[in-house]
Amino acid sequence: MFRGAVAKICGDLCKHSLIALERGIKCDGYRLTVRGYDFLALRALCARGVVGSVGNQIGVGKESDVYVGGDAEFNDLVLKFHRLGRTSFRKIKEKRDYHQKRKAS
């Protein structure tokens, strides 16, 4: 398995459910979870200055989760995380038409 800093980082990410350890017949590996994808999306939005904070969950539906949020200037926002493909994220390219021409998710 991994040693040193990589093992610590992977352990921390697993602890927060951002990645998951997958044990296979030939080798073990990690995969990015839905929570990990959400974290990466929020990190990108924060880097652009679109989102500054995420608050409580205010709604749950069969296709999305809705949260209260704010931007860098303390204006209120509503964040809606679409959950199309939540159970089958590996098939997301087939379900969303704007992913058809991309090579990587």
Side-chain angles (χ1 to χ4, degrees):
M1 204 65 182
F2 299 123
R3 299 281 179 237
V6 174
K8 181 176 178 359
I9 291 169
C10 287
D12 289 343
L13 292 172
C14 279
K15 215 181 291 182
H16 295 292
S17 300
L18 299 175
I19 62 173
L21 177 64
E22 298 240 337
R23 297 197 182 268
I25 296 171
K26 294 184 180 181
C27 63
D28 298 340
Y30 290 93
R31 68 173 173 83
L32 196 58
T33 63
V34 173
R35 182 179 282 187
Y37 282 108
D38 290 346
F39 180 81
L40 287 176
L42 283 172
R43 188 166 183 250
L45 289 171
C46 287
R48 288 189 216 156
V50 176
V51 175
S53 63
V54 178
N56 295 330
Q57 188 173 35
I58 57 174
V60 179
K62 67 179 182 178
E63 293 181 356
S64 63
D65 297 339
V66 182
Y67 292 84
V68 174
D71 63 5
E73 287 109 27
F74 302 106
N75 296 318
D76 291 333
L77 297 173
V78 175
L79 304 170
K80 186 173 185 179
F81 292 93
H82 290 273
R83 296 299 183 200
L84 181 63
R86 174 187 279 176
T87 57
S88 176
F89 201 91
R90 291 184 176 104
K91 297 193 177 239
I92 195 84
K93 286 191 210 176
E94 298 170 11
K95 294 182 181 187
R96 293 194 179 167
D97 57 344
Y98 57 83
H99 280 290
Q100 287 177 351
K101 295 180 182 177
R102 293 180 66 173
K103 293 180 182 169
S105 295

